[in-house]
């Protein structure tokens, strides 16, 4: 069974530029999550999708971050414009359902904002 | 707001030793608790998932317990090996949110 795929693995941009990350969850997983992990901290949930609907985006900085999952499979997370403090690893995870199921994580995208 | 704490922040043990990692949380109204390991520069690997109605889960040399009323979970690793060296994270689900601890960095010395 293929795992959660993410691309790119690394991205370096200058502040005020835009960037987008892509995630393909495990086949059949209805729930998809985007996390931000700043160095030395645990992951912070940014947004959770159930199929193509948003379940929770309470911690997503909506003035600059956006995410979509149009067909209920792949998802993209965008930052526009980026700030220095956005430097982090962006992790995508998926699970069969939302409440009780195990989450499986992708390898992450390491973003550096200069 | 749920707060998750992991103690110790770092741990170094000789190979073969049994060890316990701790995770505590402030709000006992959780759906589940999950333990992960994270290797440097990589994503998280799921180790064990404990539902709120369960007391413990076991997988190979790993055993995780959950005491929801006291807001605590422990991860027991038996007969540690150098390959167990990694950062171990716990996460609790409260409502629609997941809250992670900052992890315990484990080094197993050959």
């Amino acid at each position: 069974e293929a795992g959660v795929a993410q691309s790119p693995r690394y991205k370096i941009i200058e502040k005020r530029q835009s960037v987008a990350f892509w995630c393909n969850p495990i086949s059949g997983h209805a729930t998809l999550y985007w996390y931000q992990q700043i160095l030395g901290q645990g992951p912070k949930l940014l947004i959770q999708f159930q199929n193509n609907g948003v379940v929770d985006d309470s911690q997503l900085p909506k003035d600059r971050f956006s995410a979509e999952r149009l067909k209920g499979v792949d998802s993209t997370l965008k930052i526009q414009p980026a700030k220095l403090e956005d430097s982090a690893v962006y992790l995508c995870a998926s699970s069969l359902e939302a409440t009780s199921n195990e989450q499986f994580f992708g390898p992450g995208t390491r973003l550096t904002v200069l | 707001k749920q707060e998750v704490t992991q103690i110790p922040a770092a741990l170094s043990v000789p190979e073969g030793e049994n060890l316990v990692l701790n995770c505590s949380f402030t709000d006992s109204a959780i759906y589940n608790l999950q333990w992960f390991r994270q290797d440097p520069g990589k994503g998280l690997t799921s180790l064990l998932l404990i539902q709120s109605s369960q007391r413990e889960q076991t997988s190979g040399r790993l055993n995780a317990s959950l005491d929801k009323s006291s807001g605590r979970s422990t991860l027991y690793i038996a007969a540690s090996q150098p390959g167990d060296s990694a950062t171990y994270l716990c996460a609790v689900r409260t409502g629609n949110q997941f809250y992670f601890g900052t992890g315990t960095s484990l080094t197993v010395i050959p």
Side-chain angles (χ1 to χ4, degrees):
Chain A
E1 178 182 82
V4 176
Q6 289 187 249
S7 68
R9 293 295 313 278
Y10 305 92
K11 190 73 177 179
I12 300 173
I13 61 172
E14 295 188 350
K15 61 182 179 182
R16 291 188 289 274
Q17 286 187 322
S18 301
V19 64
F21 313 125
W22 174 83
C23 173
N24 181 246
I26 293 173
S27 178
H29 280 196
T31 309
L32 184 146
Y33 313 82
W34 282 103
Y35 288 86
Q36 179 193 58
Q37 186 176 24
I38 293 173
L39 188 65
Q41 298 181 17
K44 180 180 83 171
L45 181 64
L46 296 175
I47 189 167
Q48 178 185 172
F49 291 95
Q50 178 76 10
N51 295 309
N52 60 352
V54 175
V55 174
D56 191 296
D57 62 358
S58 57
Q59 298 200 89
L60 186 74
K62 298 180 187 63
D63 58 335
R64 298 183 300 106
F65 286 64
S66 64
E68 59 183 13
R69 193 184 184 200
L70 292 175
K71 297 182 179 179
V73 181
D74 294 6
S75 176
T76 55
L77 176 70
K78 297 179 182 178
I79 307 175
Q80 180 180 10
K83 293 185 176 181
L84 296 177
E85 58 261 37
D86 298 332
S87 294
V89 176
Y90 291 84
L91 296 163
C92 179
S94 69
S95 64
L96 272 173
E97 297 291 343
T99 305
S100 60
N101 286 108
E102 193 173 5
Q103 290 188 68
F104 296 90
F105 280 76
T109 296
R110 181 175 298 276
L111 173 67
T112 301
V113 182
L114 303 175
Chain B
K1 180 185 172 183
Q2 179 76 272
E3 291 184 7
V4 181
T5 304
Q6 291 188 248
I7 295 172
L11 182 63
S12 183
V13 300
E15 182 178 1
E17 193 163 295
N18 302 325
L19 59 101
V20 175
L21 306 180
N22 297 293
C23 172
S24 61
F25 46 95
T26 55
D27 184 351
S28 61
I30 65 170
Y31 284 112
N32 58 46
L33 183 145
Q34 194 167 355
W35 281 94
F36 298 88
R37 70 174 278 168
Q38 186 170 32
D39 295 280
K42 297 191 178 180
L44 280 66
T45 301
S46 177
L47 298 174
L48 291 165
L49 172 69
I50 311 177
Q51 303 296 344
S52 61
S53 59
Q54 298 175 323
R55 294 295 296 238
E56 66 178 334
Q57 284 286 341
T58 298
S59 176
R61 295 183 293 108
L62 305 179
N63 176 276
S65 67
L66 174 64
D67 184 342
K68 213 173 65 163
S69 61
S70 68
R72 293 185 182 185
S73 175
T74 62
L75 178 66
Y76 175 83
I77 302 177
S80 58
Q81 303 171 357
D84 294 331
S85 297
T87 296
Y88 290 80
L89 294 152
C90 67
V92 298
R93 181 182 179 118
T94 304
N96 288 325
Q97 266 295 333
F98 290 86
Y99 297 92
F100 278 80
T102 52
T104 294
S105 177
L106 173 66
T107 301
V108 180
I109 304 166

